[in-house]
Amino acid sequence: ALAAKHRSENHLQLLRETLEDMREHLSDEQAGEQADVRFHLQIAEAAQNPVLTDLVRSLSEKLHDSMKDTRALWFYAELRSAERLLTEHTGIYEAIANQDERLAAQLMESHIAKVERVLYEKTNRS
């Protein structure tokens, strides 16, 4: 919601470039992971809240590890899963670009909840 409220054109450009990077690397797990983490950090930066940005930046390594586990379990199980992830990220981007705070928050909450479910299932199967 904060990113939708405070984003600049430069933030949108960086997010578009990251989405394009994701699109170009749908079947490249490592490049996809890097773009995924970058996308989330760019959203924090677009919120223009230094505390949030510092928090996300400090957690980025852990976030990267979690994203890697999640992708290995779910997103890259098949190309369609990677495409669904890109679709989710694109929807979040569009809500931010349209400055739709409610929708941006709703889509991000849904996205994070899905990732949490995948990680929860992994830890309970191990």
Side-chain angles (χ1 to χ4, degrees):
L2 288 174
K5 183 175 183 177
H6 298 294
R7 70 17 172 216
S8 69
E9 287 303 315
N10 185 57
H11 293 123
L12 294 177
Q13 177 62 33
L14 292 172
L15 286 164
R16 281 191 300 270
E17 290 170 6
T18 299
L19 286 171
E20 185 57 35
D21 196 28
M22 293 172 119
R23 188 173 289 108
E24 290 175 7
H25 297 98
L26 280 174
S27 60
D28 181 340
E29 189 172 345
Q30 184 175 2
E33 290 166 14
Q34 292 169 353
D36 201 336
V37 171
R38 191 169 62 247
F39 181 79
H40 287 268
L41 180 57
Q42 289 169 339
I43 289 174
E45 290 170 347
Q48 298 191 44
N49 178 326
V51 174
L52 178 61
T53 301
D54 288 347
L55 177 64
V56 172
R57 191 171 279 129
S58 71
L59 296 174
S60 65
E61 187 172 311
K62 183 64 174 170
L63 180 63
H64 184 274
D65 291 344
S66 294
M67 296 246 179
K68 183 176 181 177
D69 289 346
T70 303
R71 284 172 176 277
L73 291 168
W74 180 47
F75 298 132
Y76 279 92
E78 58 180 84
L79 185 58
R80 279 195 350 232
S81 295
E83 291 168 347
R84 275 196 311 265
L85 175 62
L86 178 60
T87 299
E88 287 180 23
H89 282 155
T90 300
I92 293 166
Y93 163 79
E94 289 172 355
I96 291 170
N98 293 326
Q99 294 187 299
D100 188 334
E101 297 171 46
R102 183 195 58 77
L103 183 58
Q106 183 180 48
L107 291 173
M108 183 57 84
E109 287 172 14
S110 174
H111 176 66
I112 297 298
K114 192 178 294 184
V115 170
E116 286 176 337
R117 276 194 310 274
V118 171
L119 291 174
Y120 176 80
E121 290 172 6
K122 175 200 179 237
T123 58
N124 286 325
R125 280 190 229 165
S126 301

